[in-house]
Structures are given as structure tokens and as C-alpha cells.
Amino acid sequence: MRKLIRPNAPNFLTEKLQIELGERYKKNREKNKGHQFNYWHTEKVGESTLYKEIRNKLIEISDDHCFYCDGYPPLSDDDTIDHFKPKSKPEFYDLVCSWENLYLACGHCQKAKGSEYNDLILRPDEINYEFDKFFKYDSDNDEVIVNLGADDLSQLRAEKTIEVFDFNHVGLKKLRGFFRKVYSQDPQININDLGYRFCLNFQQTI
Ligand SMILES: [Zn+2]
């Protein structure tokens, strides 16, 4: 999970609109469990839709990398918008279009996280979040591991985050190994053209 800085909400996603859409979804969802949040596909922003424009803004933040695993480039089921606090949980209905709750996610992370939520899960744009503070990179195995030098709560959060996103899935480990190889062969390459940027500088065994 690479640190990200989230700018303020884009102008078209006003505070008023965030609240209005949240309230509308909450009201409808409470009446009908099967109600789907699809307003952002019909809500217009110029010639485009709210969904597309929000997604574009999220893409700018991470250079089109998954906010959680930093996977890149996006494939067909990637680049979707994840609700960090799941829209399926009644306590979060009103956050369904809240800027701070929207994350660009790849298919792997969407599937791994599902509708799981607890306060321990780290966010890449959380204040004071730094990869090194919570994690270490084991370059022998291409695994993200807990920083055992961190305090107990940070270790617990790191452990939970690795588990929820299944960061050490065999496919992700292989991809990180691949990108590290590409980077070591051409250190001048633009790292934004590579995936899993947080692991690229870890060349030594921990
Ligand atoms: Zn991901």
C-alpha cells in the first residue's frame, strides 16, 4: 500500500451533492434491501457522468494504480470505485458518495475486501500513513510483512490490512517480483509505468 495524498473533493462533487445522494440512497435502501446505488451513472457532469468524473479524479491521485495494492496497469475488471466503508452496511449508507470514502481499486482488492470493514484496516491516504511505519518488504519472497519494530496497534493494523487485501496472494507476489526485475534492469524507467511502486527500492534481504 503506497502512501497517497487525497486533495479536496472536486468542484463538481459538492458537499451538498454528497449529502443529497447519501440521503437518497439511505432512504431507498432502508425501504428496499435490494436497492442499488446507480445514481452516479445517471447524474450528469457536463457531457460526462458523475461516476466517470469521480473515477478520473481518483485516477489522477494514484497515476491509475490501485489505491490498495498499487497494482498497474489496470485490466478489464480494475479501476472500479470501492467504498472503503461498504455501502451494504446500514451505518454507512449515507457515505455512498462521500469523497473521502471512495477509493480506486483493482479486481483483486475488490474481491479480497468484499464488504469487510473494521477500524483497523489502513488507508493509503490516512494522515501519518507511511509504508515503512507499518510494513516491511521481504524481497526474498516478494511478501509484504508486518514491521515488527512498530507499536502493538500498528502491527495489528498492518496484519489485518495484509489479511483483508490478501496482499501476499501468489499472483501479486509474482507480479511484484516481475516489476522489481524490470526496475533493476532499467532504474531510469518512470516508476509510474510500473506496478507495486512501494517495493521497487527494496533490493536487499531483510
Ligand atoms: Zn489492488
Side-chain angles (χ1 to χ4, degrees):
M1 185 181 281
R2 190 169 192 250
K3 182 178 178 63
L4 294 173
I5 309 281
R6 181 186 294 264
N8 290 333
N11 289 339
F12 57 82
L13 187 60
T14 60
E15 188 84 10
K16 187 166 169 269
L17 185 59
Q18 295 181 50
I19 293 169
E20 263 174 30
L21 293 176
E23 283 177 352
R24 197 195 314 174
Y25 175 68
K26 186 177 180 183
K27 203 172 89 193
N28 287 317
R29 182 76 196 237
E30 279 169 356
K31 271 194 275 183
N32 171 15
K33 271 256 167 247
H35 181 77
Q36 297 289 320
F37 177 72
N38 51 19
Y39 321 134
W40 55 9
H41 293 296
T42 49
E43 184 86 22
K44 288 280 178 199
V45 176
E47 295 291 299
S48 186
T49 64
L50 185 60
Y51 179 85
K52 283 184 189 161
E53 290 308 300
I54 291 175
R55 196 174 65 165
N56 286 341
K57 288 292 171 193
L58 295 174
I59 285 172
E60 281 176 21
I61 295 174
S62 67
D63 287 293
D64 210 2
H65 291 61
C66 172
F67 274 33
Y68 302 128
C69 73
D70 207 53
Y72 180 89
L75 303 174
S76 60
D77 62 345
D78 298 330
D79 264 0
T80 53
I81 299 178
D82 178 58
H83 293 84
F84 187 80
K85 294 184 174 177
K87 63 182 185 306
S88 59
K89 297 200 185 302
E91 63 270 39
F92 304 135
Y93 284 169
D94 56 346
L95 298 178
V96 75
C97 209
S98 167
W99 172 240
E100 309 283 331
N101 195 38
L102 305 176
Y103 289 70
L104 190 72
C106 73
H108 167 85
C109 291
Q110 280 275 17
K111 191 165 160 243
K113 178 168 167 281
S115 57
E116 191 162 345
Y117 175 76
N118 68 60
D119 291 335
L120 294 172
I121 306 172
L122 289 159
R123 301 174 178 229
D125 56 338
E126 186 176 311
I127 300 170
N128 298 329
Y129 172 77
E130 298 285 349
F131 181 88
D132 297 342
K133 195 173 158 188
F134 296 91
F135 304 106
K136 279 185 182 276
Y137 195 70
D138 171 359
S139 53
D140 281 347
N141 300 303
D142 282 306
E143 287 189 358
V144 178
I145 57 176
V146 174
N147 177 359
L148 296 176
D151 60 73
D152 288 353
L153 178 60
S154 299
Q155 287 191 41
L156 188 63
R157 297 191 68 193
E159 196 180 319
K160 190 71 196 165
T161 304
I162 291 169
E163 181 198 312
V164 165
F165 293 108
D166 197 8
F167 278 158
N168 291 319
H169 182 276
V170 63
L172 263 59
K173 292 201 287 185
K174 282 189 178 164
L175 283 167
R176 292 196 292 255
F178 170 77
F179 281 112
R180 287 201 316 113
K181 199 169 153 194
V182 171
Y183 184 66
S184 70
Q185 287 168 352
D186 181 7
Q188 301 305 316
I189 199 167
N190 180 354
I191 65 161
N192 292 334
D193 291 335
L194 304 175
Y196 316 100
R197 294 166 291 181
F198 61 84
C199 74
L200 298 177
N201 295 321
F202 293 91
Q203 304 297 345
Q204 281 144 24
T205 303
I206 290 164

